[in-house]
Amino acid sequence: MRRISILGATGSVGQSTIDLIARAPDEYEVVALTGGRNIAQLAKDARRLNAQLAVTAHDDCLADLRVALQGSGIEVAAGAVALCEAAARPADWVMSAIVGAAGLPPGLAALDQGATLALANKETLVTAGPLVMARAAASGARILPVDSEHSAAFQCLTGEDPAQVERLILTASGGAFRDWPLAQLASATPAQAATHPTWDMGQRITIDSASMFNKALEVIEAKEFFGIAPDRIEVLIHPESLVHALVGHTDGALIAHLGAPDMRHAIGYALHWPTRRELPVARLDLAEIGGLSFQRPDPERFPALGLARQVMARGGLAGAVFNAAKEQALDGFIAGAMKFTEMADAVAASLERAEAEPGLIDAEFTLDNIVMADGLARTWAADYIGNLNKR
Ligand code: NAD
Ligand code: MG
């Protein structure tokens, strides 16, 4: 029996992971499930999968979780430390599907115990790439990408040396506002931004898709995971979301990965790697689809992509600042405190403030320094949003 833990089990990726595990209950022993405020879902899945441990991120939800799991024999816990303890419980395979920088400490705890880390939480590599890769190397843990583009590229790179590839192309749907007139973007609402044309995902990543902050994070994630130079990583808008990534080799060959937009493919690939198993995903009928289209992203419409280039060129803790400022700006947009188009300005302003802070970006890559840079960036982005509202 393989021992499995799922961090962020109640979310979109977490639920898709559970869908796969629940189809073969005899193959898996579920160690820990973690969630946030959706206690009913967490308890239901913990009972169904007979987990050893269920953890909520919030202390004030512990009593509810305890009641919901009464008589089940399943252990309960709450809070950030308990999340790391859950991730550190011996397991063979751990899904990292918490959203945001909060996923980093439990991800590191899973790596430290040597578990294979199925990585959906892209923020882990964006904020702490060199630290994460070093911790994996130290324990011998393997990281398998679950972000669909990175899983696709990983599959295209089987048997190849990533350092030798000429280019890596990540595709992007273009999000909810791909075809909106530019002038209208400033009036976009959170509900409009949270409607994805092709993928069904959590609210935050869906809004990040509309702004392309999601693709910006993914470009950095690809640089950190594959070790490919930033100028070899390209982004192409592909509205159909059927080609997920392409790898260009030095001989001119371009290897593409196609599949239905269903996260259970990338999750299932990481679950069964290095083998392939039948997965419950739709098969593409290319004759029915008829055509695939591609466009270059417009830098004016998607300033997040330019900011990602700036972050990669700068290196160090710029990724942690970038991600935290983005998370704060996203909170501001969702709360109605700023316009859709102002999110990139808030992030750019935070990166500037970080640059003016002596030694911050070039500080040593430790979890403490990353947490400090993250906290400062959130404060700076919040200041920026506060100043907007004084206008
Ligand atoms: P989601 O919002 O649907 O779920 C997030 C999960 O994290 C939930 O279980 C929630 O309870 C938990 N969580 C939220 N805040 C937390 C905190 N502070 N501490 C601990 N737990 C917390 O998110 P999602 O769409 O499933 O995305 C999860 C991660 O996977 C993100 O990093 C996202 O970028 C990445 N990802 C998602 C998809 C997708 O299809 N949804 C695709 C690729 C990558
Ligand atoms: Mg992706």
Side-chain angles (χ1 to χ4, degrees):
M1 294 258 274
R2 280 178 86 200
R3 298 165 303 170
I4 303 266
S5 288
I6 305 173
L7 312 174
T10 55
S12 166
V13 170
Q15 290 291 297
S16 293
T17 308
I18 287 176
D19 175 84
L20 294 180
I21 305 271
R23 288 166 192 262
D26 300 342
E27 292 183 36
Y28 307 107
E29 181 185 332
V30 176
V31 178
L33 297 183
T34 84
R37 296 198 176 278
N38 190 348
I39 297 302
Q41 187 70 52
L42 180 60
K44 184 174 157 227
D45 289 326
R47 281 182 187 272
R48 178 161 74 120
L49 300 173
N50 196 23
Q52 287 172 19
L53 168 69
V55 180
T56 162
H58 309 284
D59 290 319
D60 59 331
C61 292
L62 180 61
D64 287 347
L65 183 60
R66 188 166 281 136
V67 170
L69 287 176
Q70 214 152 35
S72 66
I74 297 168
E75 290 170 63
V76 296
V81 173
L83 286 178
C84 288
E85 284 169 359
R89 282 251 175 139
D92 302 304
W93 189 91
V94 177
M95 166 54 76
S96 163
I98 289 172
V99 64
L104 173 63
L108 288 174
L111 287 175
D112 287 346
Q113 62 138 313
T116 292
L117 188 68
L119 191 63
N121 178 272
K122 60 196 77 186
E123 296 87 348
T124 296
L125 285 171
V126 172
T127 59
L131 176 69
V132 171
M133 298 314 258
R135 293 275 276 265
S139 70
R142 183 173 283 282
I143 302 175
L144 294 172
V146 172
D147 212 339
S148 55
E149 299 76 2
H150 304 70
S151 171
F154 186 67
Q155 294 177 51
C156 293
L157 280 163
T158 301
E160 311 278 353
D161 175 3
Q164 296 301 319
V165 307
E166 203 168 63
R167 57 187 181 144
L168 166 62
I169 303 173
L170 305 178
T171 60
S173 68
F177 307 138
R178 184 184 61 218
D179 302 320
W180 279 35
L182 260 186
Q184 217 178 302
L185 284 184
S187 65
T189 66
Q192 288 168 326
T195 314
H196 200 280
T198 47
W199 289 91
D200 178 12
M201 310 187 286
Q203 180 206 35
R204 298 181 73 86
I205 182 175
T206 304
I207 299 176
D208 283 350
S209 295
S211 61
M212 283 246 207
F213 266 110
N214 180 48
K215 210 52 54 180
L217 295 174
E218 288 182 359
V219 171
I220 304 171
E221 180 188 15
K223 168 192 171 268
E224 298 297 340
F225 184 75
F226 296 110
I228 296 179
D231 61 352
R232 292 176 182 243
I233 306 174
E234 303 168 25
V235 172
L236 264 188
I237 292 186
H238 167 49
E240 297 87 4
S241 297
L242 299 175
V243 179
H244 304 303
L246 305 97
V247 173
H249 293 279
T250 42
D251 59 358
L254 195 54
I255 314 283
H257 177 287
L258 284 79
D262 182 334
M263 282 305 290
R264 291 176 304 175
H265 174 77
I267 297 165
Y269 186 78
L271 183 61
H272 302 303
W273 183 90
T275 58
R276 284 188 188 270
R277 291 263 289 267
E278 192 173 331
L279 292 172
V281 299
R283 273 42 175 178
L284 297 185
D285 180 341
L286 291 174
E288 179 71 26
I289 292 158
L292 300 171
S293 55
F294 301 92
Q295 308 152 23
R296 252 180 263 288
D298 170 4
E300 205 186 332
R301 181 179 293 265
F302 301 117
L305 293 177
L307 290 171
R309 300 265 164 219
Q310 193 183 313
V311 165
M312 290 189 292
R314 185 62 182 81
L317 301 187
V321 170
F322 175 71
N323 177 69
K326 189 282 293 177
E327 288 190 30
Q328 189 72 38
L330 180 57
D331 287 342
F333 174 62
I334 292 171
M338 73 196 306
K339 293 181 185 146
F340 181 76
T341 44
E342 287 168 339
M343 287 192 284
D345 302 334
V347 174
S350 303
L351 284 168
E352 258 172 53
R353 296 259 314 247
E355 205 59 76
E357 201 74 29
L360 177 81
I361 294 180
D362 296 313
E364 200 191 331
F365 250 111
T366 63
L367 184 55
D368 283 349
N369 285 340
I370 291 163
V371 169
M372 181 195 56
D374 177 291
L376 285 170
R378 284 175 206 263
T379 313
W380 295 328
D383 282 354
Y384 186 92
I385 299 166
N387 286 332
L388 286 175
N389 289 311
K390 283 191 206 132
R391 281 176 310 194

